[in-house]
Amino acid sequence: MKRPAATLGSRLRSLRVILALVWRAGPVLVLFQFVGAVVSGVWPVAMAWLTKLLIDRLVTGSGPPVMVLAVLLAVGGAVMALLPQLMAFANREQQRRIVRHTSDELFSAVCRMQGLARLENPEFHDRLQLAQHSGQTVPTTTIDSVLSLVRGAVTVTGFLGVLSTISPLLTAVVAAAALPELVVQLRLSRRHASVMWEIAPSERRRIFYQRLATEHQAAKEIRLFGIASFLRGRMLGELSTAQRSERRLDFLSIRYNTTLTALSAVVAGTALIMVVSRIAAGQAGVGDLAVLTAAVGGLQSALSSIVLQIAGFNEALVLAGHYVHVVTVEPDLPEPIEGGAVHPLRRGLELRDVWFRYDDDHPWVLRGVNLTIPYGKSVALIGLNGAGKSTIVKLLCRLYDPQRGSVHWDGTDLRELRIEDLRRRISTVFQDYMAYDLTAAENIAIGDIDALDEPERLRAAARWAGIDDTLAGLPHGYDTLLSRFFTVGPDEDPEYGVLLSGGQWQRLALARAILRTDTSDLLILDEPSSGLDPDAEHTVHEKLRAHRHGRTSLLISHRLNTIRGADHIIVLAEGRVVEQGSHDRLMKLDGEYARLFTRQASGFQLDKTDSACTCGA
Ligand SMILES: Nc1ncnc2c1ncn2[C@@H]1O[C@H](COP(=O)(O)OP(=O)(O)OP(=O)(O)O)[C@@H](O)[C@H]1O
């Protein structure tokens, strides 16, 4: 997988975005942290200097009064003891606000992506994972780094000044020794950022296997098929892959850092020898030894901290590139800048020579499809598994754009319409509809969230789908949580949540779609009754027939008896329309539809004969 390039320009852009974010999250906190950093940067130098003055005063009797120096040292020490507590609180508060901002920005950015293609791209998910991680950590790292740099710069400047009064040569040696460290740490930081990118796919797979073990949906199969140890092996395998890369980086880091530590010990030792020799030669006072010890140690550790901060900062900016990419990425489906309002449907929808595949490397799923869903008519779409029926549904909802050809709403290409407006006019039961871990009322109101405060509308939709009695009979009626995953509700009652059966969920999904038909022009039903019992299926289809009458609808079903009453039936095979017309016309044609219909009908006939024979025996 190719690592996205982190150029200087991209890092500067990330820095701008992150600093703006930090400032928005809490300007007062930033200012407080800045002042605190300057004060704590000045203090070590001030303390060393005050100590030197105190020693000189005690030894030679010259300089400011002892009491003044002692009081300054004591007050400074007290402030410095308190400051870290306040700074730590400011940091944590800043972190909380940043997490809120970045969580909001990432959530909104992902929801702004109107199509599905990007969400089906593994590389995008790797970026998203790093964006989530860096969005929470980088702003804080950035502010920590900036503050540490300020603190370090103040300390370094002070010590350099102090040390240069004792020995300019020594000052130059200590300062120059920081350069190799800077080069090494920058290298390590870049390597660290690239390791994180390398291990992102393994990390996502590991999380996937780990989640499977705890997910309710997978629990039955995992237990029945006994695949827990298979999944555990996979999970640990991914973990090992990621840890191998991390370990290699650790070894590299140890090698570099050991060399750097040796270098700094040599510099400190050399400095000590130089000053002790000068004191012995009477060229320096005893107070100089105290200030030198503090200055060399303080300077080395301040320089080292600056270097580490620069390196950490560099790494954070490379990682922040993922966050910035996700929150600023171009829309995946272009929309008109002006206009694009969607008017109520008057003529119908049309696919004109539509060619579509899910990815450039994938085979064509639709190959030149032409079809019309006329206004006020019910259209049925049938075909074998994989023929491309659900794909057409997704194109009608503009979840993807076709590579060739176009989809039209009353003659206007969907690409010229505002997506949100378009979707407001469509109500759909997808084949893979969602069962949300929300209350029953909320699960229906997903179809039209404004109805959340209109219990009567929710109940009417539920009644239509034949699920009202079931929902009303739940422990907390419509407010019952349809999940065993959370303990919410009154008194955190663990019994608060219940689960529905597959068919009950399907009715609920229907209720959701029916709720939306109050405001939408097109009803799409992709296998709306596959999980219903025969009675329920019959009732639902009778209702749907009446509901669809005079409304524009598209029904997909493998149960051909449920679609024979449609105004128009379209048969899809291998991504092409191969037949279309009414049930009678298609039966007369004696083609694919007639073959499928006859086969299904004869199956029922045979079953009847069989059961008659059994009864007679
Ligand atoms: N998100 C996707 N990414 C890649 N390929 C996909 C995706 N969704 C569907 N396909 C492929 O597109 C083809 C058509 O799928 P589609 O779901 O449209 O078929 P269908 O006619 O609805 O089938 P079924 O009757 O089984 O529901 C299939 O070969 C499938 O593998």
Side-chain angles (χ1 to χ4, degrees):
M1 183 175 47
K2 197 168 165 291
R3 181 162 55 94
T7 58
L8 181 63
S10 71
R11 270 177 280 181
L12 287 177
R13 183 161 168 254
S14 301
L15 178 62
R16 218 180 46 237
V17 173
I18 296 297
L19 287 180
L21 179 84
V22 168
W23 183 255
R24 276 201 312 275
V28 177
L29 289 170
V30 172
L31 290 176
F32 173 74
Q33 287 170 302
F34 190 79
V35 172
V38 172
V39 171
S40 48
V42 166
W43 177 243
V45 182
M47 190 173 66
W49 195 250
L50 289 171
T51 311
K52 169 191 155 54
L53 291 179
L54 189 62
I55 294 174
D56 284 346
R57 170 75 198 212
L58 291 172
V59 174
T60 64
S62 66
V66 171
M67 277 316 284
V68 172
L69 294 170
V71 167
L72 282 176
L73 277 168
V75 170
V79 169
M80 290 312 294
L82 192 62
L83 197 59
Q85 310 289 333
L86 297 174
M87 294 280 281
F89 174 77
N91 265 346
R92 283 199 299 275
E93 184 56 27
Q94 187 82 355
Q95 169 75 0
R96 278 189 282 273
R97 293 182 188 196
I98 284 167
V99 166
R100 190 184 154 78
H101 267 70
T102 53
S103 306
D104 182 23
E105 280 199 343
L106 280 174
F107 192 95
S108 308
V110 172
C111 293
R112 261 199 313 276
M113 287 163 205
Q114 297 278 13
L116 299 187
R118 206 170 270 155
L119 294 176
E120 290 170 350
N121 179 333
E123 194 172 312
F124 179 74
H125 279 279
D126 292 338
R127 265 191 183 277
L128 192 57
Q129 180 178 298
L130 289 175
Q132 276 156 348
H133 169 76
S134 59
Q136 309 234 322
T137 57
V138 168
T140 325
T141 315
T142 305
I143 190 156
D144 283 351
S145 300
V146 171
L147 294 176
S148 299
L149 282 175
V150 170
R151 205 169 28 237
V154 172
T155 309
V156 165
T157 315
F159 278 137
L160 282 177
V162 171
L163 203 56
S164 62
T165 63
I166 300 170
S167 164
L169 176 64
L170 193 57
T171 314
V173 170
V174 175
L179 275 180
E181 185 168 4
L182 180 64
V183 174
V184 166
Q185 297 298 354
L186 279 177
R187 223 182 133 159
L188 278 175
S189 74
R190 275 199 301 272
R191 185 79 200 106
H192 192 244
S194 75
V195 164
M196 287 195 69
W197 174 252
E198 273 163 35
I199 65 175
S202 292
E203 274 298 285
R204 282 203 305 115
R205 282 194 292 266
R206 179 184 66 76
I207 293 168
F208 163 71
Y209 292 123
Q210 209 161 13
R211 274 205 196 127
L212 273 185
T214 54
E215 261 174 16
H216 166 258
Q217 286 95 322
K220 291 191 292 289
E221 292 201 356
I222 291 176
R223 277 148 188 79
L224 184 81
F225 296 130
I227 55 165
S229 59
F230 164 77
L231 294 175
R232 183 175 147 270
R234 285 273 171 104
M235 190 265 289
L236 291 176
E238 298 296 349
L239 189 61
S240 301
T241 307
Q243 289 188 342
R244 255 198 308 278
S245 299
E246 287 172 352
R247 197 170 294 117
R248 270 200 302 274
L249 182 63
D250 281 349
F251 285 142
L252 188 68
S253 165
I254 288 174
R255 263 209 334 264
Y256 283 162
N257 283 325
T258 314
T259 315
L260 291 174
T261 309
L263 179 67
S264 101
V266 168
V267 171
T270 312
L272 189 66
I273 292 168
M274 280 170 72
V275 174
V276 170
S277 324
R278 289 188 61 189
I279 294 172
Q283 293 164 346
V286 184
D288 286 341
L289 181 62
V291 81
L292 173 105
T293 319
V296 172
L299 189 56
Q300 276 190 324
S301 93
L303 279 172
S304 177
S305 146
I306 286 183
V307 164
L308 282 175
Q309 291 305 332
I310 292 174
F313 195 36
N314 181 51
E315 180 184 329
L317 289 184
V318 176
L319 288 177
H322 300 295
Y323 175 82
V324 174
H325 174 87
V326 172
V327 297
T328 58
V329 70
E330 291 285 304
D332 50 344
L333 295 176
E335 282 191 271
I337 295 163
E338 280 178 21
V342 184
H343 301 293
L345 193 67
R346 286 290 165 260
R347 290 185 353 240
L349 287 115
E350 211 184 330
L351 266 70
R352 293 184 194 160
D353 191 27
V354 166
W355 287 74
F356 178 78
R357 56 184 169 193
Y358 283 93
D359 203 44
D360 291 347
D361 306 332
H362 289 197
W364 290 107
V365 174
L366 302 178
R367 302 153 183 266
V369 170
N370 287 293
L371 62 82
T372 305
I373 305 168
Y375 169 72
K377 299 287 179 201
S378 60
V379 173
L381 189 56
I382 70 146
L384 299 182
N385 292 136
K389 304 178 294 296
S390 300
T391 303
I392 288 181
V393 171
K394 290 186 262 184
L395 290 178
L396 287 170
C397 299
R398 207 180 163 212
L399 293 165
Y400 304 92
D401 280 336
Q403 279 85 9
R404 288 190 230 155
S406 45
V407 184
H408 296 259
W409 176 280
D410 274 351
T412 308
D413 191 322
L414 296 192
R415 285 171 283 215
E416 291 163 27
L417 298 174
R418 274 207 301 272
I419 296 174
E420 212 173 298
D421 273 20
L422 171 75
R423 291 184 187 157
R424 215 172 283 138
R425 297 197 172 277
I426 301 177
S427 181
T428 309
V429 176
F430 289 106
Q431 189 177 24
D432 50 354
Y433 60 84
M434 273 296 292
Y436 296 92
D437 286 40
L438 297 172
T439 65
E442 288 164 343
N443 258 290
I444 299 176
I446 294 284
D448 177 3
I449 208 68
D450 293 340
L452 204 50
D453 301 324
E454 300 172 63
E456 249 329 297
R457 270 186 72 201
L458 300 181
R459 285 202 77 154
R463 262 194 300 276
W464 192 101
I467 187 80
D468 175 51
D469 288 344
T470 309
L471 299 182
L474 293 175
H476 301 274
Y478 275 66
D479 291 329
T480 307
L481 187 71
L482 301 183
S483 162
R484 300 302 310 272
F485 191 59
F486 300 112
T487 55
V488 293
D491 309 324
E492 301 279 307
D493 176 5
E495 296 302 316
Y496 186 73
V498 299
L499 291 181
L500 296 184
S501 75
Q504 288 168 335
W505 268 117
Q506 194 151 30
R507 284 167 182 260
L508 209 132
L510 255 174
R512 192 181 290 161
I514 291 299
L515 178 76
R516 195 175 181 79
T517 54
D518 292 354
T519 51
S520 64
D521 298 338
L522 171 68
L523 174 64
I524 301 176
L525 303 159
D526 191 350
E527 288 288 350
S529 61
S530 55
L532 301 186
D533 63 53
D535 281 347
E537 185 182 21
H538 179 76
T539 316
V540 162
H541 277 287
E542 282 304 306
K543 282 190 178 176
L544 275 178
R545 218 185 314 279
H547 187 86
R548 291 194 337 247
H549 185 69
R551 293 178 193 237
T552 316
S553 67
L554 177 69
L555 171 64
I556 296 175
S557 179
H558 289 297
R559 309 199 186 186
L560 302 189
N561 59 325
T562 64
I563 54 113
R564 61 184 294 176
D567 296 318
H568 193 71
I569 298 168
I570 297 170
V571 184
L572 204 65
E574 295 177 358
R576 289 193 178 87
V577 174
V578 290
E579 288 170 17
Q580 51 185 315
S582 66
H583 169 79
D584 292 341
R585 185 178 167 275
L586 291 177
M587 289 305 284
K588 269 197 210 109
L589 197 66
D590 201 20
E592 178 69 359
Y593 177 80
R595 184 182 73 79
L596 292 171
F597 191 88
T598 313
R599 168 163 290 186
Q600 218 168 52
S602 67
F604 280 117
Q605 207 55 45
L606 191 69
D607 286 350
K608 258 188 189 169
T609 325
D610 281 357
S611 53
C613 289
T614 317
C615 292

